[in-house]
Structure formats: C-alpha cells, structure tokens
Amino acid sequence: MTSIAAPRTQPARHASDLALAAFAPASWGTTYVVTTTLLPADRPMLAATLRALPAGLVLLAATRRLPRGSWWWKSAVLGMLNFGAFFPLLFFAAYRLPGGVAATVGSVQPLVVALLSLGVLRVRPARAVLYSALAGTGGVALLTLTSDARLDPLGIAAMLTATSLMAAAIVLAKKWGRPESPLVMTGWQLTVGGLVLLPLTLLTEGVPPSVTGENVLGFAYLGIVGTAIAYALWFRGIDRLAPTSVSLLGLTNPMVATLAGLLVLGQTLTFWQLVGFTIALGALVAGQSFNRKPAPALEAPVPLPQPAGRL
C-alpha cells in the first residue's frame, strides 16, 4: 500500500482555513432565530426545499459544470447525505425535540466522525481530540438542556441518524477528494438534495397560500448565506482539514444559536449555561490545537476523474 505523509499547514493558513470552515456551523446557528421570526409556521419541508434547490440551481448555472464519470453517483450519495436525507430528519427532530436535546445529540458528531475515520480512512484520532469531543458534548448539554427537556424516542433517533449521515458525508468527502472547486461540488449536491425534497414537499405540505416579504427575506438568507456560501466553505474545510477538526467546529452551532437567542430573542443564561458555554468553547479550541499536530500517514487518494464537462 502506497502512503503519503499529510502535508503540514502553516499556522496562518491553518487558522484561516479554520475560520472560513467555522463560518458554516456558525451561520447554521442562526437558523432557529430566522425560522421562528421570518419563515412561515409549520412548513419544515418547504424550508428544507427552498434552502437547497434554488441555491443549487443558481450555483449550477453560475459554474456551468456537470459531474463526470463516477462523480455522478458520488455527488448523488453526498447530496442525499448532506441534504436530501439530512434536512427532513433534521426538521423532523426539531419538531419533536426541544432545541437543547437536539443540539446535545448533534454534538456527538465528532465522535461519530472519529469512529468512521478509523474504519474508512484508517486514521486514528489522538486521545486528546476524543477527550475534547466528549467535553464538547458535555458543555453543549449544560448550555442547552433544561430540567423540563422532553426525550422523545423518535426525535432522538431522527437527530442521531441525521448527525450520523452528515458525519458519513464528511468522511466520504475526505476519502474521495474532489474533482472540482468546493463551489461547483456544492451546486451538484444541493441540486440533487433539492430535487429529492421537491416532490416530498408538494405531497406533504403543498404550496403555501401566501408568502410575505419577511418570508422571502428569511428564505433568501437561509439559501444564500446559510446554504450556498456556508456549504461551499464547509466543503472547502473538509478538503483542507482533518475530519475530526472539521466536525469539532460544529460546536460553534449551539454556541452561536445561544448568542442569537440572547441578542435577538432576549433570552438569558443561567450560571450552569455559562459554564457549559465555557466548556464547549474550551473543547473547541483544545481540539483544534491537538489536530494541528502532524497526522499519521494516509492511504493514497483514488485518482480523480478528468475535469467535468461544461453545462
């Protein structure tokens, strides 16, 4: 087996890659506030479809690139994992679980990524990184859980499945590499996911009777900032950073959601929530510091196909 040493990244470039990748989960942390203040009520599938399909079609038209060879089915797989299956499960869980329970279940993603990396990428994360992931989950639990949190079994199963699907997408994207820029691949995956969601939305929710200016603003923000830009930067981070490093950035999601609740919805924090916020932030910083150490040798990547054809 041919192996190559993982390239060492300069500190400034590494910090830049982390900051850009962190923009994605940070922007997703604003989704709850945008949904509750700007979007139509009780339209989770509509929200999922309008997050994915318009952004995907715009990116597809702008980049004018189509998959080629094996990247047709690879894009379909990643598109389903990241959007087509992930979004419905995420919204299903959101409607059956308090936000704190959903955030706590979602925060186990770094552990799932570490387990999948061991089996698929043959990369064994450092123990310190695993400890950081466990501490991050504990911090998120303190930050988001309340004494009256409902533990709905179906909601927990849906959220855990959604978290595992996104973890699998991170690992597979790392294993397969990329034949095009992150922006191009984002367009492929969003289009696949959106096309799958569209008929499901029409069957389950139909077309809304009216759409307000606030609704349009909310959908535009989620589609442009929280989806097209965020996922392009997320996939760029997957390409340049260690899998566990990327997944640990997900801890910024509940932290930003908490800050948004404070600033926009006028919520307050208890002492233990402040402790949880501090622990989660410390776990995030510590995990990234440990991941900067040279990684073990990786299996040589599969040769990429020729550049995709023009659309």
Side-chain angles (χ1 to χ4, degrees), residues 183-228:
L183 198 65
V184 172
M185 296 188 66
T186 301
W188 295 349
Q189 296 179 45
L190 282 171
T191 302
V192 169
L195 289 175
V196 171
L197 290 169
L198 180 60
L200 295 176
T201 300
L202 295 176
L203 287 174
T204 58
E205 294 180 358
V207 180
S210 62
V211 178
T212 67
E214 287 187 345
N215 297 157
V216 173
L217 180 61
F219 285 128
Y221 172 81
L222 290 179
I224 298 172
V225 178
T227 304

Side-chain angles (χ1 to χ4, degrees), residues 17-28 51 78 81-83 86 106 109-110 113 163 165-171 173-174 178 181-183 185-186 189 225-253 284 288:
D17 291 339
L18 284 173
L20 290 173
F23 175 85
S27 70
W28 301 333
R51 277 192 69 178
L78 293 175
L81 291 175
N82 280 315
F83 305 109
F86 175 77
Q109 186 187 91
V113 168
T163 299
L165 291 179
M166 195 171 189
I170 291 174
V171 174
K174 195 70 177 178
R178 60 178 176 85
S181 70
L183 198 65
M185 296 188 66
T186 301
Q189 296 179 45
V225 178
T227 304
I229 297 175
Y231 275 97
L233 293 176
W234 182 248
F235 296 147
R236 177 184 181 276
I238 292 175
D239 183 54
R240 298 189 177 203
L241 301 168
T244 48
S245 183
V246 175
S247 60
L248 277 169
L249 292 175
L251 295 174
T252 61
N253 186 325
L284 173 61
Q288 300 305 333

Side-chain angles (χ1 to χ4, degrees), residues 41-60:
D42 302 322
R43 294 277 181 173
M45 291 299 296
L46 177 66
T49 302
L50 291 183
R51 277 192 69 178
L53 188 55
L57 293 176
V58 168
L59 290 179
L60 202 63

Side-chain angles (χ1 to χ4, degrees), residues 1-175:
M1 177 185 299
T2 303
S3 61
I4 56 175
R8 297 192 181 193
T9 310
Q10 295 296 327
R13 180 180 174 185
H14 183 78
S16 175
D17 291 339
L18 284 173
L20 290 173
F23 175 85
S27 70
W28 301 333
T30 64
T31 300
Y32 175 77
V33 171
V34 172
T35 300
T36 55
T37 58
L38 297 177
L39 298 190
D42 302 322
R43 294 277 181 173
M45 291 299 296
L46 177 66
T49 302
L50 291 183
R51 277 192 69 178
L53 188 55
L57 293 176
V58 168
L59 290 179
L60 202 63
T63 57
R64 301 182 63 82
R65 308 290 287 181
L66 285 175
R68 190 172 181 178
S70 64
W71 274 98
W72 280 102
W73 69 264
K74 288 179 180 179
S75 297
V77 169
L78 293 175
M80 285 299 298
L81 291 175
N82 280 315
F83 305 109
F86 175 77
F87 276 172
L89 287 168
L90 181 67
F91 282 110
F92 178 83
Y95 272 79
R96 298 185 70 97
L97 294 174
V101 176
T104 301
V105 175
S107 67
V108 304
Q109 186 187 91
L111 299 174
V112 180
V113 168
L115 180 62
L116 293 176
S117 296
L118 184 61
V120 177
L121 302 178
R122 300 181 184 179
V123 174
R124 179 177 298 174
R127 289 184 180 181
V129 175
L130 296 179
Y131 294 153
S132 296
L134 287 171
T137 298
V140 171
L142 285 174
L143 175 64
T144 58
L145 288 180
T146 60
S147 58
D148 59 348
R150 294 177 290 105
L151 301 178
D152 181 84
L154 289 178
I156 291 176
M159 191 63 199
L160 186 57
T161 302
T163 299
S164 300
L165 291 179
M166 195 171 189
I170 291 174
V171 174
L172 287 177
K174 195 70 177 178
K175 178 179 177 63

